[in-house]
Amino acid sequence: MSDVLCMYYSRTGNTKKAMLEIAAELGAETVELRDAVERSGWQGWLRCGLDAMKKTTGPLSHYETERPLSEYRLVILGTPVWAGRCSSVMRTFLKEHGGELERVAYVLTRSSENRHQEVWDQMDLYVPGTHRAAASLRSGPVGYDFWKVEFLRQVKEFLAE
């Protein structure tokens, strides 16, 4: 049983890919978050942006973790950036369970050149402390591996404390 949990939402598969790579490197448990909203295609893309801008949240689909959230040494949350914000699915999770997360790290996936570091601060509003590590990964070859390796270095340093 791992003491690190990687929880993520992924609409297109980019966040899932990044989180599975990170989880494999850390030997972490993985859990994918979902909701019941249709988010595929261009209409889903528009819906995602509107939900993010309006800070809309809806119920999450059922998920299970091996232990209570507060018992993980570190919970790594992965989300795509939608309209300069975390996904509405991740926002729902943070609103419902952020208070249980003492030690968190964030992985953002994005398509733009903007790193959207302000999203980390937005997510910190829902947790008792601040994040221990964070990465903003852009799809494609430019910088992705560098920032993923740097994120893993920060996480491993934290876990060694």
Side-chain angles (χ1 to χ4, degrees), residues 51-66:
D51 285 351
M53 288 189 299
K54 294 188 305 184
K55 299 183 181 177
T56 302
T57 59
L60 294 175
S61 298
H62 178 74
Y63 65 88
E64 290 185 28
T65 58
E66 293 177 0

Side-chain angles (χ1 to χ4, degrees), residues 74 102-106 124 129-134 154-155 158 161:
L74 181 66
E102 292 292 326
R103 295 157 306 278
V104 295
Y106 305 135
D124 277 344
T130 60
H131 58 278
R132 307 300 172 118
Q154 291 174 27
V155 168
F158 166 74
E161 292 176 358

Side-chain angles (χ1 to χ4, degrees), residues 114-148:
N114 185 339
R115 292 188 66 213
H116 295 286
Q117 293 170 302
E118 66 279 2
V119 175
W120 302 334
D121 297 330
Q122 294 166 13
M123 293 170 74
D124 277 344
L125 295 174
Y126 299 99
V127 299
T130 60
H131 58 278
R132 307 300 172 118
S136 178
L137 304 175
R138 184 175 181 197
S139 303
V142 180
Y144 177 91
D145 287 329
F146 174 83
W147 290 111
K148 184 180 77 175

Side-chain angles (χ1 to χ4, degrees), residues 40-110:
S40 62
W42 68 271
Q43 290 176 322
W45 179 81
L46 284 174
R47 183 175 296 111
C48 293
L50 288 172
D51 285 351
M53 288 189 299
K54 294 188 305 184
K55 299 183 181 177
T56 302
T57 59
L60 294 175
S61 298
H62 178 74
Y63 65 88
E64 290 185 28
T65 58
E66 293 177 0
R67 60 176 79 182
L69 294 171
S70 61
E71 292 182 14
Y72 286 93
R73 193 153 171 223
L74 181 66
V75 177
I76 302 171
L77 301 175
T79 182
V81 175
W82 291 350
R85 295 167 177 83
C86 71
S87 67
S88 58
V89 178
M90 185 57 67
R91 182 180 309 282
T92 298
F93 173 78
L94 286 166
K95 280 184 171 183
E96 292 177 2
H97 300 287
E100 302 170 50
L101 307 174
E102 292 292 326
R103 295 157 306 278
V104 295
Y106 305 135
V107 174
L108 305 180
T109 57
R110 59 193 166 83

Side-chain angles (χ1 to χ4, degrees), residues 1-7 19-31 64-76 103 152 155-156 158-159:
M1 186 180 302
S2 177
D3 61 352
V4 177
L5 173 64
C6 288
M7 296 190 84
M19 293 299 285
L20 292 178
E21 291 171 357
I22 289 166
E25 181 74 25
L26 298 172
E29 175 187 353
T30 59
V31 172
E64 290 185 28
T65 58
E66 293 177 0
R67 60 176 79 182
L69 294 171
S70 61
E71 292 182 14
Y72 286 93
R73 193 153 171 223
L74 181 66
V75 177
I76 302 171
R103 295 157 306 278
L152 287 166
V155 168
K156 290 174 181 177
F158 166 74
L159 294 172

